[in-house]
Amino acid sequence: MFVDLPEAQLREYQSSQVDPADFDEFWSRTIAEARAAGGEVTLTPVDTGLVTVDVFDVTFPGFAGEPVKGWLRLPAQRSGPLPTVVEYVGYGGGRGRPTENLLYASAGFAHFHMDTRGQGSTWSPGATADSAASGPQIPGFMSRGVDSRETYYYRRVFTDAVRAVDAARSLDVVDSSRVAVVGGSQGGGISLAVAGLVEGLVAAVPSVPFLCDFPRALTIHDSEPYHELVRYLRTHREKVGQVFETLSYFDGVNFATRASVPAWFSVALMDETCKPSTVFGAFNAYAGPKQIDVWPFNGHEGGGPDALARTVTLLHGVFGTA
């Protein structure tokens, strides 16, 4: 069944999220500190047995220069720097196996697939630790360090994601002027943050994005992962204002207002995990050129393989490889 407002109202909906006065200063400082920490990007060839795609095990410096893992997948037949897709992973998952996710390399793109620190044990394996200490939390990642913007888990993840673009652009095989960011669910939320933080991207494709419109999300969802924060505040009653202040620095709505890269969103009207109004909260606030695919009868899978096919087509268009 439809789980939210009618589509006509969704297209008019405006989030109540507050834009912190020092949002830009906070993120400028955070990214500058990570870049100043330095670190090397390393690539190790992986023997996969594949003949059409070459795979490399990647390590690059993320938040505070800490090592973050990923995969770099390349078409085996290639010449010159390639247009590049930087992809972020959904909640609970990691970078997976080297022989998975071959679509973008098969389409002729370089594919830089970032691991998500601390995750990668729910539905696909990961290989990156989250070294930061944190206080009390609900099991999961949503409340990890949420008492402060400085310690919140997604400060580290979003910084890793920006540094993943930096790492990709540093590679000779990558055309640094043709880089797009993509992801679904949590990966969609991360791609939206990167769109608001990184200049010079050619496209952002946030599919059924998570981490958007926290003021509404926490009051209309009775499902995980948003409900982790609900359960945290159910116990820590005195921290409601403090937690919502922290979340305002990590809300896709506030990144959307700062993004100028062309974006292709998607939303599913029967999505219980990322309800449509939270996605439209970010989409309607998005400052750059934008489109949205609406999947009326789908849940959190969104457009599935049809959405992937559309993504490949639009990327060929923006990369000039059609």
Side-chain angles (χ1 to χ4, degrees):
M1 64 179 183
F2 291 153
V3 295
D4 207 332
L5 303 171
E7 184 176 343
Q9 293 181 34
L10 290 170
R11 292 185 178 276
E12 299 298 323
Y13 169 73
Q14 298 295 316
S15 170
S16 65
Q17 180 57 272
V18 174
D19 189 355
D22 61 347
F23 183 97
D24 295 315
E25 184 280 327
F26 168 73
W27 279 109
S28 178
R29 170 173 57 84
T30 296
I31 302 305
E33 289 173 354
R35 287 173 172 157
E40 297 296 321
V41 181
T42 64
L43 303 179
T44 304
V46 180
D47 184 4
T48 62
L50 300 175
V51 297
T52 60
V53 175
D54 294 334
V55 183
F56 298 84
D57 188 341
V58 178
T59 304
F60 69 93
F63 178 83
E66 296 170 353
V68 180
K69 300 296 289 183
W71 300 119
L72 176 66
R73 300 182 179 93
L74 303 172
Q77 300 297 319
R78 57 186 182 272
S79 61
L82 297 172
T84 299
V85 178
V86 179
E87 183 175 14
Y88 308 109
V89 182
Y91 192 77
R95 64 176 180 166
R97 305 297 186 191
T99 52
E100 295 182 283
N101 300 301
L102 304 178
L103 176 67
Y104 294 121
S106 299
F109 313 140
H111 179 209
F112 194 104
H113 198 181
M114 189 188 89
D115 200 21
T116 309
R117 62 169 57 225
Q119 298 189 31
S121 294
T122 303
W123 54 271
S124 67
T128 305
D130 181 28
S131 61
S134 63
Q137 68 178 75
I138 291 291
F141 301 92
M142 292 298 291
S143 63
R144 181 174 291 185
V146 75
D147 290 353
S148 166
R149 65 182 188 178
E150 303 292 331
T151 59
Y152 192 39
Y153 171 73
Y154 282 102
R155 183 185 185 213
R156 302 187 290 281
V157 172
F158 290 174
T159 304
D160 292 346
V162 170
R163 295 292 282 143
V165 174
D166 292 347
R169 283 174 164 168
S170 75
L171 302 175
D172 290 340
V173 73
V174 167
D175 181 346
S176 62
S177 68
R178 291 189 293 170
V179 176
V181 293
V182 307
S185 192
Q186 175 185 252
I190 296 171
S191 69
L192 188 53
V194 174
L197 292 170
V198 175
E199 296 183 355
L201 299 171
V202 298
V205 189
S207 300
V208 292
F210 180 46
L211 306 170
C212 294
D213 198 1
F214 285 112
R216 182 164 175 82
L218 268 60
T219 59
I220 65 171
H221 284 89
D222 193 28
S223 58
E224 307 297 356
Y226 282 121
H227 211 244
E228 292 174 24
L229 287 166
V230 173
R231 289 185 288 131
Y232 182 83
L233 292 173
R234 184 176 294 160
T235 302
H236 298 278
R237 301 175 181 88
E238 74 284 1
K239 294 182 177 181
V240 171
Q242 181 180 351
V243 166
F244 274 98
E245 180 181 1
T246 295
L247 294 175
S248 68
Y249 290 88
F250 303 91
D251 196 315
V253 171
N254 286 335
F255 290 110
T257 65
R258 291 162 168 82
S260 59
V261 56
W264 284 263
F265 285 69
S266 68
V267 64
L269 299 189
M270 295 186 177
D271 189 344
E272 293 277 11
T273 303
C274 296
K275 290 192 175 180
S277 58
T278 67
V279 176
F280 271 99
F283 175 76
N284 291 339
Y286 197 85
K290 60 190 177 183
Q291 297 181 34
I292 189 165
D293 285 331
V294 177
W295 305 98
F297 294 99
N298 288 95
H300 198 50
E301 76 282 2
D306 295 309
L308 289 174
R310 291 190 188 189
T311 299
V312 168
T313 298
L314 75 87
L315 288 174
H316 276 303
V318 298
F319 287 149
T321 53

